[in-house]
Amino acid sequence: MNLLQDTQDALWAIVYSPRLPTAARAKIGSPQNNISISAASIWEIATKHFLGCGDMPVSAREALNFFEAAGYLLLPVSASHAAEVEPPPPYHHDPFDRIIVAQALVEPLRLMTHDAIVARYSDPILHI
């Protein structure tokens, strides 16, 4: 399965947090799955880490190094992704989450998230 990991779950994976759902940990560890991380997630980590807001336990550089070492596929943000931000219902007002949902729709990828608001987008969300 081709999965796009949301930012918070990806951070929990980096720091081996017990908050990462067991099902998510299993999907990440399965050799049958290709795990992608969005450039928007790296940008979100950098922004929130710099501002000292949110749950950002590592810097963007540390996160990127981890994702690369773990074999994650890095998904750049394209103009097609940006254009897709507008049509979905405005369940979530966080621009980082909206671009990641848009990427999942365009690629297509299954977005793996624990966030119940993001999960409202239905296809292609995998709520864990």
Side-chain angles (χ1 to χ4, degrees), residues 51-74:
L51 295 174
C53 63
D55 183 12
M56 300 295 143
V58 297
S59 71
R61 176 58 53 197
E62 291 168 318
L64 180 59
N65 289 342
F66 174 88
F67 299 137
E68 289 175 335
Y72 282 43
L73 304 172
L74 300 176

CSV table of all heavy atoms in Angstrom, one decimal, residues 51-74:
chain,number,residue,atom,x,y,z
A,51,LEU,N,8.9,28.5,15.9
A,51,LEU,CA,8.0,29.4,16.7
A,51,LEU,C,7.8,28.8,18.1
A,51,LEU,O,7.2,29.5,18.9
A,51,LEU,CB,6.7,29.5,15.9
A,51,LEU,CG,6.7,30.2,14.6
A,51,LEU,CD1,5.3,30.2,13.9
A,51,LEU,CD2,7.2,31.7,14.8
A,52,GLY,N,8.2,27.6,18.3
A,52,GLY,CA,8.0,27.0,19.6
A,52,GLY,C,6.6,26.7,19.9
A,52,GLY,O,6.1,26.7,21.1
A,53,CYS,N,5.8,26.4,18.9
A,53,CYS,CA,4.4,26.0,19.1
A,53,CYS,C,4.1,24.6,18.6
A,53,CYS,O,4.8,24.1,17.8
A,53,CYS,CB,3.5,27.0,18.5
A,53,CYS,SG,3.6,27.1,16.7
A,54,GLY,N,3.1,24.0,19.1
A,54,GLY,CA,2.8,22.6,18.7
A,54,GLY,C,3.7,21.6,19.4
A,54,GLY,O,4.6,22.0,20.2
A,55,ASP,N,3.5,20.4,19.0
A,55,ASP,CA,4.3,19.3,19.6
A,55,ASP,C,5.4,19.0,18.6
A,55,ASP,O,5.2,18.0,17.8
A,55,ASP,CB,3.4,18.1,19.9
A,55,ASP,CG,4.1,17.0,20.5
A,55,ASP,OD1,5.2,17.1,21.0
A,55,ASP,OD2,3.5,15.9,20.6
A,56,MET,N,6.5,19.7,18.6
A,56,MET,CA,7.6,19.5,17.6
A,56,MET,C,8.8,19.2,18.4
A,56,MET,O,9.6,20.0,18.7
A,56,MET,CB,7.8,20.8,16.8
A,56,MET,CG,6.6,21.3,16.0
A,56,MET,SD,6.2,20.1,14.7
A,56,MET,CE,4.4,20.2,14.7
A,57,PRO,N,9.0,17.9,18.7
A,57,PRO,CA,10.2,17.5,19.6
A,57,PRO,C,11.5,17.5,18.9
A,57,PRO,O,12.5,17.4,19.5
A,57,PRO,CB,9.8,16.1,20.0
A,57,PRO,CG,8.9,15.6,18.8
A,57,PRO,CD,8.2,16.8,18.3
A,58,VAL,N,11.5,17.6,17.5
A,58,VAL,CA,12.8,17.6,16.8
A,58,VAL,C,12.7,18.8,15.8
A,58,VAL,O,11.7,19.3,15.4
A,58,VAL,CB,13.0,16.3,16.1
A,58,VAL,CG1,13.2,15.2,17.0
A,58,VAL,CG2,12.0,16.0,15.0
A,59,SER,N,13.9,19.2,15.3
A,59,SER,CA,14.0,20.2,14.2
A,59,SER,C,13.6,19.6,12.9
A,59,SER,O,13.6,18.3,12.7
A,59,SER,CB,15.4,20.8,14.2
A,59,SER,OG,16.3,19.8,13.6
A,60,ALA,N,13.4,20.4,11.9
A,60,ALA,CA,13.0,19.9,10.6
A,60,ALA,C,14.2,19.2,10.0
A,60,ALA,O,14.0,18.1,9.3
A,60,ALA,CB,12.7,21.1,9.7
A,61,ARG,N,15.4,19.6,10.2
A,61,ARG,CA,16.6,18.9,9.7
A,61,ARG,C,16.7,17.5,10.3
A,61,ARG,O,17.0,16.6,9.6
A,61,ARG,CB,17.9,19.8,10.0
A,61,ARG,CG,19.2,19.1,9.6
A,61,ARG,CD,19.3,18.7,8.2
A,61,ARG,NE,19.1,19.8,7.2
A,61,ARG,CZ,18.8,19.6,5.9
A,61,ARG,NH1,18.8,18.4,5.4
A,61,ARG,NH2,18.6,20.6,5.2
A,62,GLU,N,16.5,17.4,11.6
A,62,GLU,CA,16.6,16.1,12.3
A,62,GLU,C,15.5,15.2,11.8
A,62,GLU,O,15.7,14.0,11.5
A,62,GLU,CB,16.4,16.3,13.8
A,62,GLU,CG,17.6,17.0,14.5
A,62,GLU,CD,17.2,17.4,15.9
A,62,GLU,OE1,16.1,17.9,16.2
A,62,GLU,OE2,18.1,17.1,16.8
A,63,ALA,N,14.3,15.8,11.6
A,63,ALA,CA,13.2,15.0,11.0
A,63,ALA,C,13.5,14.5,9.6
A,63,ALA,O,13.3,13.3,9.3
A,63,ALA,CB,11.9,15.8,11.0
A,64,LEU,N,14.0,15.4,8.8
A,64,LEU,CA,14.3,15.0,7.4
A,64,LEU,C,15.4,13.9,7.4
A,64,LEU,O,15.3,12.9,6.6
A,64,LEU,CB,14.8,16.2,6.6
A,64,LEU,CG,15.2,16.0,5.2
A,64,LEU,CD1,14.0,15.4,4.4
A,64,LEU,CD2,15.7,17.3,4.5
A,65,ASN,N,16.4,14.1,8.2
A,65,ASN,CA,17.5,13.0,8.3
A,65,ASN,C,16.9,11.7,8.7
A,65,ASN,O,17.3,10.6,8.1
A,65,ASN,CB,18.6,13.4,9.3
A,65,ASN,CG,19.4,14.6,8.8
A,65,ASN,OD1,19.4,14.9,7.6
A,65,ASN,ND2,20.1,15.2,9.7
A,66,PHE,N,16.0,11.7,9.6
A,66,PHE,CA,15.3,10.4,10.1
A,66,PHE,C,14.5,9.8,8.9
A,66,PHE,O,14.7,8.6,8.6
A,66,PHE,CB,14.4,10.7,11.3
A,66,PHE,CG,13.6,9.4,11.6
A,66,PHE,CD1,14.1,8.5,12.5
A,66,PHE,CD2,12.4,9.2,11.1
A,66,PHE,CE1,13.4,7.3,12.8
A,66,PHE,CE2,11.6,8.0,11.4
A,66,PHE,CZ,12.2,7.1,12.3
A,67,PHE,N,13.7,10.6,8.2
A,67,PHE,CA,12.9,10.1,7.2
A,67,PHE,C,13.7,9.5,6.0
A,67,PHE,O,13.4,8.5,5.5
A,67,PHE,CB,11.9,11.2,6.6
A,67,PHE,CG,11.0,11.7,7.7
A,67,PHE,CD1,10.7,13.1,7.7
A,67,PHE,CD2,10.3,10.9,8.5
A,67,PHE,CE1,9.8,13.6,8.7
A,67,PHE,CE2,9.4,11.4,9.5
A,67,PHE,CZ,9.2,12.8,9.5
A,68,GLU,N,14.8,10.2,5.7
A,68,GLU,CA,15.7,9.7,4.6
A,68,GLU,C,16.3,8.4,5.0
A,68,GLU,O,16.4,7.5,4.3
A,68,GLU,CB,16.7,10.8,4.3
A,68,GLU,CG,16.1,12.0,3.5
A,68,GLU,CD,17.1,13.1,3.3
A,68,GLU,OE1,18.1,13.2,4.0
A,68,GLU,OE2,16.9,13.8,2.3
A,69,ALA,N,16.8,8.4,6.3
A,69,ALA,CA,17.5,7.2,6.8
A,69,ALA,C,16.5,6.0,6.9
A,69,ALA,O,16.9,4.8,6.6
A,69,ALA,CB,18.1,7.4,8.1
A,70,ALA,N,15.3,6.3,7.2
A,70,ALA,CA,14.3,5.2,7.3
A,70,ALA,C,13.7,4.8,5.9
A,70,ALA,O,12.9,3.8,5.9
A,70,ALA,CB,13.1,5.7,8.2
A,71,GLY,N,14.1,5.4,4.9
A,71,GLY,CA,13.6,5.1,3.5
A,71,GLY,C,12.3,5.6,3.1
A,71,GLY,O,11.7,5.2,2.2
A,72,TYR,N,11.8,6.6,3.8
A,72,TYR,CA,10.6,7.3,3.4
A,72,TYR,C,10.8,7.9,2.1
A,72,TYR,O,11.8,8.4,1.7
A,72,TYR,CB,10.2,8.4,4.4
A,72,TYR,CG,9.6,8.0,5.7
A,72,TYR,CD1,10.1,6.9,6.4
A,72,TYR,CD2,8.5,8.7,6.3
A,72,TYR,CE1,9.6,6.5,7.7
A,72,TYR,CE2,8.0,8.3,7.5
A,72,TYR,CZ,8.5,7.2,8.2
A,72,TYR,OH,8.0,6.9,9.4
A,73,LEU,N,9.7,7.9,1.3
A,73,LEU,CA,9.7,8.7,0.0
A,73,LEU,C,9.3,10.1,0.3
A,73,LEU,O,8.4,10.4,1.0
A,73,LEU,CB,8.7,8.0,-0.9
A,73,LEU,CG,8.9,6.5,-1.2
A,73,LEU,CD1,7.7,6.0,-2.0
A,73,LEU,CD2,10.2,6.3,-1.9
A,74,LEU,N,10.1,11.0,-0.2
A,74,LEU,CA,9.8,12.5,0.0
A,74,LEU,C,8.9,13.0,-1.1
A,74,LEU,O,9.3,12.9,-2.3
A,74,LEU,CB,11.1,13.2,0.1
A,74,LEU,CG,12.1,12.8,1.2
A,74,LEU,CD1,13.4,13.5,1.2
A,74,LEU,CD2,11.4,12.9,2.6
